[in-house]
Amino acid sequence: MYGKSEDREDYQRVPRPVAAMARDLPDGHHIPDHRHLRAQLIYGTTGAISVATGHGVWVVPATRGVWVPAGLTHAMTCAGAVAMRTLYIEPQSAWRLPDAPTVVSVPPLLRELIDEATRLPVEYDVRGRDGTVMDLLLHELAPRPVPALHLPTPEDPRLHDLCAAIRRSPGEDWTTPNAAARAHLSPRSLHRRFAAATGMSPARWVQQARLVHAVTLLARGTPVTSVATGLGYATPSAFTAMFRRALGTTPSAYFTGVQSVRDVRERAPATAVRPLVPIGPQDAYARPYERSRTAGPGRPQDHHAGPFRARPQRGAGGRRRP
């Protein structure tokens, strides 16, 4: 594509810190286990991508990518048509990114830089405009906190088989007793072993498995109503509420990266705002700190006496107190 090779091996030994490849892949396309000499950012501008390693499974839409360190065995599967735009990077050139697979946010600037990188020659001019583009790309390629769809894979055979069953049928009623019976464990033992192996409770893992399944279906154009019904939710709104709680946004915004007004408002930091308090016909909208201080119950301060001098109070008989 763009006059460049679509063979990943052609990008591993190029004399440049970054090599970018564009490749359009159909729905369901699967690339089996493999690894690279270079680190890789797996990213697609459309659809969703599932990346599996020995550490677990990650699923990302077009607003996120998966960082795969050099030499790590991984496989990937497409959900929906995926316009893959992937980067192969010398490990020393991406020192800010971790040595473990992780999800990376791809904001608009980074997305455009990645797209431009795929159009540049493999041996681009490092001292010209192309080199500047790649330098900026590396600068923007930084870990950013982002809710990630991650399913850690337990090594315990019984837990591994249980997780495989949950992924095959995420819409089943996977209560802790039901899951424990499937794994031939007591509920207490299941909870203890599961948390130690995955860092999650069984219920949390089931929810993540349902989200992974949902994102895969949504990327293929399945209506939200059908996804919600298939996963056992009574209404689409119940499913959307769960989706928002887990991933911080609605299903539609998850794929576009555009937050709704409600999402932004719910996550905006609280700001102390002084209310407008009417205090008189001419100062009907003065703020609290603009109100007169009181020298006594119901007695306003004499504004002509200075900001902190109270009007003298009168005693019995109307005489001023000293």
Side-chain angles (χ1 to χ4, degrees), residues 42 47-52 56-66 77-79 102-104 146-151 167 208-219 243 247 254-255:
I42 300 175
I49 301 174
S50 171
V51 179
V57 177
W58 289 260
V59 178
V60 291
T63 56
R64 295 167 172 82
V66 178
T77 304
C78 298
T102 188
V103 172
V104 175
V146 60
L149 267 181
H150 175 217
L151 282 176
R167 289 206 64 191
Q208 287 289 95
R210 287 173 175 165
L211 285 167
V212 165
H213 185 68
V215 167
T216 300
L217 294 178
L218 292 168
F243 197 101
L247 297 176
Y254 185 72
F255 286 90

Side-chain angles (χ1 to χ4, degrees), residues 225-273:
T225 301
S226 299
V227 175
T229 302
L231 289 176
Y233 287 88
T235 63
S237 59
F239 165 74
T240 298
M242 180 276 295
F243 197 101
R244 182 187 285 113
R245 285 194 303 271
L247 297 176
T249 189
T250 61
S252 58
Y254 185 72
F255 286 90
T256 63
V258 178
Q259 288 186 305
S260 67
V261 173
R262 175 180 175 182
D263 291 330
V264 173
R265 184 182 296 120
E266 288 178 351
R267 285 159 182 79
T271 303
V273 178

Side-chain angles (χ1 to χ4, degrees), residues 21-106:
M21 181 183 76
R23 188 180 177 192
D24 290 344
L25 303 173
D27 177 31
H29 184 83
H30 177 72
I31 299 176
D33 281 348
H34 64 287
R35 57 184 179 179
H36 311 291
L37 292 175
R38 292 186 167 211
Q40 182 183 13
L41 178 69
I42 300 175
Y43 171 66
T45 60
T46 60
I49 301 174
S50 171
V51 179
T53 75
H55 299 266
V57 177
W58 289 260
V59 178
V60 291
T63 56
R64 295 167 172 82
V66 178
W67 174 253
V68 180
L72 181 69
T73 300
H74 61 284
M76 62 164 282
T77 304
C78 298
V82 171
M84 189 171 74
R85 304 294 182 260
T86 190
L87 304 177
Y88 299 102
I89 304 174
E90 289 182 343
Q92 60 269 28
S93 297
W95 55 271
R96 291 189 297 173
L97 289 164
D99 293 329
T102 188
V103 172
V104 175
S105 175
V106 182

Side-chain angles (χ1 to χ4, degrees), residues 102-116:
T102 188
V103 172
V104 175
S105 175
V106 182
L109 175 57
L110 182 56
R111 181 187 66 225
E112 295 302 322
L113 289 169
I114 293 172
D115 183 71
E116 179 64 15

Side-chain angles (χ1 to χ4, degrees), residues 110-152:
L110 182 56
R111 181 187 66 225
E112 295 302 322
L113 289 169
I114 293 172
D115 183 71
E116 179 64 15
T118 62
R119 301 168 189 269
L120 300 181
V122 174
E123 296 189 19
Y124 55 86
D125 181 4
V126 295
R127 296 185 178 182
R129 179 257 185 194
D130 295 352
T132 301
V133 169
M134 292 302 199
D135 288 343
L136 181 56
L137 188 156
L138 288 173
H139 178 79
E140 291 296 316
L141 187 58
R144 297 176 177 88
V146 60
L149 267 181
H150 175 217
L151 282 176

